[in-house]
Amino acid sequence: MASEQRPFRVLGIQQVAIGGTDKQRMKRLWVDMLGLTQTGTFQSERENVDEDILAMGQGAHKVEVDIMQPLDIDRKPAVHTTPLNHIGLWIDDLPLAVQWLTAQGVRFAPGGIRQGAAGYDICFLHPKSNDEFPIAGEGVLIELVQAPAEVIAALG
């Protein structure tokens, strides 16, 4: 149990990221068969990712589905090795959440708070704990996403 009251709120699911070796095959299911709309693309050499950003729902109920393949299948990070790559959560105050969670012993992945593929400030909770930070995602990479004002108002 946390020693002090949590100074931030998780507002809802912002995204689900799915990794594979062939983005076009994933797109056939998610866009052609299920009807999601592609809203963008993202590539990063540093993160070894070629990503299509899809969406379902509207406004505060919009959920992003990112389909990702590695730029280089032999490099890390290997976005395709865990098909459900990560889940993203809307956070009402990301800097405060990171500060508080770190003080509670939560381990974050390298990179700190930065702009993510969809333009929101993001950071990641590490999937594995260590001696210094005994709380982590227990095998799941979790992305914390700064919610924009309209999402905070609608979900908060």
Side-chain angles (χ1 to χ4, degrees), residues 13 18-19 23 25-26 33 43 54 60 65 86 95 120 127 144:
I13 293 177
I18 302 167
K23 207 172 49 164
R25 289 184 61 165
M26 291 184 282
M33 300 295 110
Q43 283 193 351
L54 312 178
V65 176
H86 65 270
Y120 303 111
L144 302 183

Side-chain angles (χ1 to χ4, degrees), residues 98 100-108 125-126 132-137:
V98 169
W100 187 83
L101 290 168
T102 300
Q104 304 307 311
V106 174
R107 183 178 183 197
F108 284 86
L125 272 65
H126 202 285
E132 184 180 1
F133 295 101
I135 303 168

Side-chain angles (χ1 to χ4, degrees), residues 14-148:
Q14 184 268 336
Q15 70 173 265
V16 175
I18 302 167
T21 58
D22 186 344
K23 207 172 49 164
Q24 292 309 310
R25 289 184 61 165
M26 291 184 282
K27 200 175 201 174
R28 184 161 189 241
L29 170 66
W30 290 97
V31 174
D32 298 344
M33 300 295 110
L34 298 176
L36 276 69
T37 304
Q38 183 169 344
T39 60
T41 60
F42 178 74
Q43 283 193 351
S44 170
E45 289 285 336
R46 190 183 110 217
E47 296 178 20
N48 191 31
V49 69
D50 177 10
E51 173 178 329
D52 284 346
I53 302 166
L54 312 178
M56 65 177 128
Q58 300 291 322
H61 300 286
K62 179 178 170 184
V63 175
E64 192 177 297
V65 176
D66 297 340
I67 54 176
M68 308 181 308
Q69 70 184 33
L71 290 169
D72 180 343
I73 203 158
D74 298 319
R75 277 193 39 233
K76 298 224 182 229
V79 299
H80 63 293
T81 59
T82 305
L84 178 56
N85 185 274
H86 65 270
I87 186 166
L89 303 175
W90 285 124
I91 302 295
D92 65 345
D93 189 332
L94 184 60
L96 187 59
V98 169
Q99 178 185 1
W100 187 83
L101 290 168
T102 300
Q104 304 307 311
V106 174
R107 183 178 183 197
F108 284 86
I113 296 175
R114 60 195 179 277
Q115 189 174 67
Y120 303 111
D121 283 349
I122 58 120
C123 67
F124 290 93
L125 272 65
H126 202 285
K128 296 179 184 175
S129 62
N130 61 20
D131 290 340
E132 184 180 1
F133 295 101
I135 303 168
E138 296 302 315
V140 176
L141 185 63
I142 301 167
E143 182 177 12
L144 302 183
V145 183
Q146 175 60 59

